[in-house]
Amino acid sequence: MNIPKDLKYTKDHEWIRVEGGVAVVGITEFASKELGDIVFVEVETMDERLANEESFGSIEAVKTVSELFMPIGGKVSEFNEALEDAPELINSDPYGEGWIIKVEMDNEGDLENLLDAEAYAKLIG
C-alpha cells in the first residue's frame, strides 16, 4: 500500500498536500481500493467556505456512494475537471492526477491535527 510520507491524512481517508498556501485534497489509495471502481465524483461546494470535517462532495463507485470530507477549513477553490471524464484517475493515480479539490486554507495550523504517514499506516492496519 502506497502511503506517501510528504502528505497528511485524515481518519476518513482523505490526504492533503500543501503547495504554496493552497491545499490539494484527494482520497488515499486504501480508500480507492476499498471503494472499487470509481464511476463519478460530485463536488457542489465550489467557491464555498467549509469547516474542517464538513462534506465537500461525494464519490460514487460501482458498489457504493461515499461522502468526501474537508481535512481542514477553507474555501474550495478548484475542482479537478479531469475527473468529469475520467473518474477512474482516482483509482489509477490517487496521489497525482486523481486529486479532487484545491482549498484556500483558513488556518495552516490545522494541519497539525492531521495524521502523518506512520499514524495513517497504523490506522488502516
Side-chain angles (χ1 to χ4, degrees):
M1 188 71 53
N2 184 17
I3 305 172
K5 295 199 183 310
D6 63 328
L7 305 178
K8 293 287 196 171
Y9 301 88
T10 70
K11 292 179 174 127
D12 295 315
H13 311 289
E14 283 86 19
W15 59 261
I16 184 170
R17 176 178 59 243
V18 177
E19 297 176 347
V22 174
V24 181
V25 178
I27 65 167
T28 64
E29 181 180 334
F30 174 83
S32 74
K33 289 189 182 313
E34 289 291 304
L35 287 167
D37 293 334
I38 294 168
V39 296
F40 187 69
V41 179
E42 183 173 49
V43 174
E44 294 183 339
T45 53
M46 274 302 299
D47 298 321
E48 289 184 28
R49 190 164 299 283
L50 300 172
N52 180 27
E53 298 183 3
E54 270 192 276
S55 174
F56 69 83
S58 62
I59 190 165
E60 184 177 339
V62 174
K63 297 186 262 183
T64 187
V65 176
S66 292
E67 291 286 315
L68 296 165
F69 298 99
M70 294 285 283
I72 58 166
K75 179 181 173 186
V76 179
S77 61
E78 190 175 337
F79 170 66
N80 183 354
E81 293 183 6
L83 299 178
E84 290 179 358
D85 295 325
E88 66 275 6
L89 286 170
I90 294 172
N91 293 113
S92 63
D93 190 12
Y95 303 114
E97 296 297 314
W99 63 274
I100 300 172
I101 61 169
K102 291 186 179 178
V103 177
E104 295 171 8
M105 297 179 288
D106 286 339
N107 181 1
E108 284 194 43
D110 289 346
L111 294 169
E112 295 172 16
N113 299 325
L114 299 173
L115 304 172
D116 62 16
E118 185 178 329
Y120 183 71
K122 286 180 185 173
L123 175 74
I124 62 174

